[in-house]
Amino acid sequence: MAPRTRSRPPALWELGADVFALGVEPDGLNINLEVGSTATDAMIAKSRRTRADFGIALDGDADRVVMCDEKGRIIDGDRFSR
């Protein structure tokens, strides 16, 4: 996860959200490895497993977002910009 996206979980915690972060331990080689907006299976599984209201997946530089609802149905970020 790039520096820009590191602020996302703390920002959400400060708003009172229970956050279950994935892929937030970058080592320079694992950016978006099996997580993020281009690989949403982990977000969907974690959202279902934790019974989250929704899931949010960002790409490494936070210019792309994909969300899922409580049932794991994908909500593409392109819909937010219309």
Side-chain angles (χ1 to χ4, degrees):
M1 188 177 281
R4 194 180 234 185
T5 57
R6 284 187 191 173
S7 64
R8 298 314 187 256
L12 295 171
W13 285 316
E14 287 181 20
L15 292 172
D18 292 327
V19 177
F20 303 96
L22 298 170
V24 294
E25 298 295 329
D27 64 8
L29 300 174
N30 65 351
I31 304 297
N32 290 335
L33 181 63
E34 298 179 2
V35 296
S37 62
T38 58
T40 57
D41 290 344
M43 172 197 58
I44 292 168
K46 187 76 161 192
S47 296
R48 287 179 177 165
R49 189 169 49 254
T50 61
R51 301 175 66 169
D53 295 318
F54 59 90
I56 303 171
L58 302 169
D59 70 336
D61 63 0
D63 67 350
R64 189 175 314 130
V65 63
V66 174
M67 297 179 72
C68 72
D69 66 11
E70 72 281 358
K71 295 181 180 178
R73 295 178 295 210
I74 291 294
I75 306 164
D76 193 290
D78 291 337
R79 291 180 51 194
F80 306 137
S81 62
R82 292 184 186 163

